[in-house]
Amino acid sequence: MGRLLAPTLTYLAYLLAAVIGSQRQQHRVQHGSCSYTFILPEAEHCHPAKDFQVTNTLQRDSPTEAEPDATESKERPSWNERKLESLESAMENNTQWLQKLENFIQENVRSGMEEIKRSAVHTQTAAMLEMGTNLLSQSAEQTRKLTDVETQVLNQTSRLEIQLLEYSLFTNRLEKHILLQTQEISRLSEKNSFLEQRLLALEARYGRELQGLESEKQQLHDLLERQSRLVSRLQGELGSSTLNSTSLQRQQAVLTDTVQQLLSKVSHCNEISNTPKKEPLSFRDCAEILRSGVKESGVYSIRLHNSTQDVKVFCDMKTRGGGWTVLQHRRNGSVDFHRGWRDYKTGFGEPSGEHWLGNDIIHKLTSSREYSLQVQLKDREGSEAFSHYDRFSIDGEDKNYSLHAEGFSGTAGRTSSLTHTGSQFSTKDRDNDRCTCKCAQLASGGWWFDACGPSNLNGIYYPASSSVVRYNGIKWYYWKGPNLMATTTTMMVRPAHF
């Protein structure tokens, strides 16, 4: 292609130089403010062929000359016309030659372009084939890697699906468990709501009752203070009268002994014959004294069965028909009951006041026949109650004065507060209870404690003014629980078939 263009351009340059060199005249045209100059070739020596015809005409731009007459123009053409004709002929020839050159160039350029296209196609095809081969090899390698990755992904997916299935099963079980727990919580919430409503209702009711009880408590407290002052004054008077009564009873006993001695002397003096002397009357218990005609309560002498010993006892001739021999009595705390085994064995105190008759005497008395036991109680508010036992007795010292009591009845509790049959007697210096502790030391006094038990009438006597509940005080649990503040206690016996 380059070899064809080079001669063509050379020839065109030659033609242009020839045209310029043959120029002889310039033609200038004024058009408005612009001026145009044309250089025309000389065609004086060029004679066109006879068959040459001008096909392209040029517009006359030169100024018009004076027209010759018709005869002169027909005979001989002017120089400009000849010049124009020669120029037109040259232009025609050049145009034809350029057309041929153009056709030649087009044919050569077309074949070159086709060759260039074929070579470019071959080159591109080879490059594409090489690239395709490389891409195929890379694609095969990537396909292999993708296959491996796909296998791993499938394995991992299978494991994940299995785990997901397990998690799903576990989730289902957990949801069922949660549902059951939710139902249980709902049920408990409903029950809790119901209980809260009942609790609120009870609190409201108890609040009202508590207010009423508080007012009643205040009234009772005021009344109790007044009664306590009155009882204190009465106790003082009672103490003085008791002392007077005790001295009178002692004097009465002395007078009775004196009268008996005088009667014996009179009987001895008035003895007429050898009639045997009558022995003075003796009584086994207060029941026999009552049957002899004595109706007043007081201190009397009894003689125990199969014994020559006379014992001073206090006889209660008023309670439930009378005839009671008093074993224990407390009323003002004047006697200390926190004593040892020997004192409880022989007895202490005065029969007319606070005293314990003695375990040996109680054993001899209750073992001679069947006796019933009466326990009289009175608290600081003036309330009274009793516990009755149809049969009562205690063993001797060799069996630690074991207790036997049956047939409970009475108003001091719905059940017996006395320890059960077989319980042994204990004091602070001899522990016979069934507790690892020493009940006689903890609860004070001597009693049939068993495992400390619900009763102890020989505990410490606290005054009526004391409001503190103490474990070592007088106790009869099933009457008023641990809050019993007793002011008077009495244990007394009489024959069971009286």
Side-chain angles (χ1 to χ4, degrees), residues 159 234 241 255 291 311 329 331 379 399 408 484 491:
R159 288 195 296 270
L234 291 176
S241 62
L255 290 174
R291 290 193 183 99
V311 179
H329 182 64
R331 62 187 180 190
D379 64 7
K399 294 183 180 180
F408 167 75
L484 172 63
M491 295 177 62

Side-chain angles (χ1 to χ4, degrees), residues 18-296:
V19 171
I20 294 171
S22 62
Q23 182 179 2
R24 296 292 187 273
Q25 187 177 357
Q26 295 181 352
H27 182 71
R28 184 175 181 179
V29 178
Q30 186 72 30
H31 183 71
S33 60
C34 297
S35 175
Y36 301 92
T37 302
F38 294 91
I39 299 174
L40 300 177
E42 292 288 342
E44 293 179 352
H45 302 287
C46 295
H47 300 281
K50 295 181 180 180
D51 56 352
F52 179 77
Q53 295 179 0
V54 179
T55 58
N56 295 325
T57 59
L58 297 176
Q59 183 179 0
R60 183 183 299 270
D61 293 329
S62 61
T64 59
E65 296 180 356
E67 293 183 0
D69 53 4
T71 59
E72 186 178 357
S73 60
K74 290 181 181 180
E75 292 178 357
R76 196 180 100 188
S78 65
W79 182 84
N80 289 330
E81 290 178 352
R82 290 195 304 272
K83 192 78 169 177
L84 182 60
E85 289 176 359
S86 63
L87 184 59
E88 290 177 353
S89 175
M91 289 296 293
E92 183 69 23
N93 292 331
N94 291 332
T95 300
Q96 292 177 358
W97 188 85
L98 287 174
Q99 288 178 351
K100 292 178 181 180
L101 182 62
E102 183 179 2
N103 293 332
F104 176 76
I105 291 171
Q106 288 178 354
E107 290 177 359
N108 288 291
V109 169
R110 186 181 297 112
S111 59
M113 290 297 294
E114 290 178 355
E115 185 179 357
I116 291 171
K117 287 181 179 178
R118 283 194 299 271
S119 62
V121 167
H122 286 301
T123 303
Q124 292 179 358
T125 302
M128 290 294 291
L129 288 174
E130 184 179 0
M131 292 175 62
T133 303
N134 293 332
L135 289 174
L136 285 174
S137 61
Q138 293 179 3
S139 177
E141 182 65 22
Q142 294 296 328
T143 302
R144 185 181 63 79
K145 292 182 179 179
L146 287 174
T147 303
D148 295 339
V149 172
E150 184 178 1
T151 303
Q152 294 177 2
V153 170
L154 288 175
N155 293 334
Q156 187 69 19
T157 304
S158 300
R159 288 195 296 270
L160 290 175
E161 287 179 351
I162 294 172
Q163 291 180 0
L164 183 61
L165 181 59
E166 293 177 353
Y167 290 157
S168 178
L169 295 176
F170 178 75
T171 303
N172 291 333
R173 290 195 299 270
L174 187 60
E175 287 178 352
K176 291 180 181 179
H177 183 68
I178 291 174
L179 181 60
L180 294 176
Q181 292 295 328
T182 304
Q183 294 175 354
E184 182 68 17
I185 290 172
S186 300
R187 187 178 64 81
L188 292 176
S189 297
E190 293 176 356
K191 187 175 181 180
N192 188 29
S193 300
F194 175 72
L195 292 176
E196 286 180 352
Q197 293 176 358
R198 288 192 61 187
L199 180 62
L200 291 174
L202 290 174
E203 286 180 351
R205 189 180 70 183
Y206 290 151
R208 294 190 296 270
E209 293 180 356
L210 183 61
Q211 291 178 355
L213 291 175
E214 288 290 340
S215 60
E216 293 180 1
K217 179 181 177 181
Q218 186 63 35
Q219 295 175 0
L220 291 174
H221 183 70
D222 297 338
L223 180 61
L224 183 61
E225 288 182 350
R226 293 194 298 270
Q227 290 182 349
S228 297
R229 291 192 294 270
L230 179 60
V231 167
S232 298
R233 188 172 65 254
L234 291 176
Q235 282 181 346
E237 296 176 356
L238 181 60
S240 60
S241 62
T242 301
L243 294 176
N244 294 332
S245 176
T246 302
S247 61
L248 291 174
Q249 287 176 356
R250 288 177 181 176
Q251 294 176 3
Q252 182 181 2
V254 172
L255 290 174
T256 302
D257 293 338
T258 303
V259 169
Q260 288 179 355
Q261 292 175 2
L262 290 173
L263 289 174
S264 63
K265 289 180 180 180
V266 170
S267 298
H268 180 71
C269 293
N270 293 332
E271 187 176 14
I272 300 174
S273 62
N274 292 329
T275 304
K277 182 175 60 175
K278 294 182 180 180
E279 295 184 4
L281 296 176
S282 62
F283 305 101
R284 297 173 57 181
D285 51 35
C286 292
E288 291 186 356
I289 295 175
L290 179 65
R291 290 193 183 99
S292 68
V294 179
K295 303 297 182 180
E296 296 295 329

Side-chain angles (χ1 to χ4, degrees), residues 412-451:
R414 63 181 183 278
T415 185
S416 172
S417 294
L418 195 64
T419 51
H420 58 79
T421 295
S423 298
Q424 298 180 1
F425 198 84
S426 295
T427 60
K428 63 181 180 180
D429 57 349
R430 185 175 294 189
D431 183 30
N432 296 315
D433 56 48
R434 298 182 185 179
C435 181
T436 55
C437 61
K438 294 183 178 181
C439 297
Q441 291 184 359
L442 294 175
S444 182
W447 193 253
W448 298 276
F449 287 108
D450 190 51

Side-chain angles (χ1 to χ4, degrees), residues 3 9 18 55 65 70 78 80 111 147 178 183 223 263 303 306 327 336 371 377 437 462 477 487 494:
R3 292 192 298 271
L9 294 174
T55 58
E65 296 180 356
S78 65
N80 289 330
S111 59
T147 303
I178 291 174
Q183 294 175 354
L223 180 61
L263 289 174
R303 180 170 293 181
N306 294 330
L327 308 180
D336 180 18
Y371 277 87
L377 301 169
C437 61
Y462 290 101
Y477 183 82
T487 58
R494 72 181 179 186

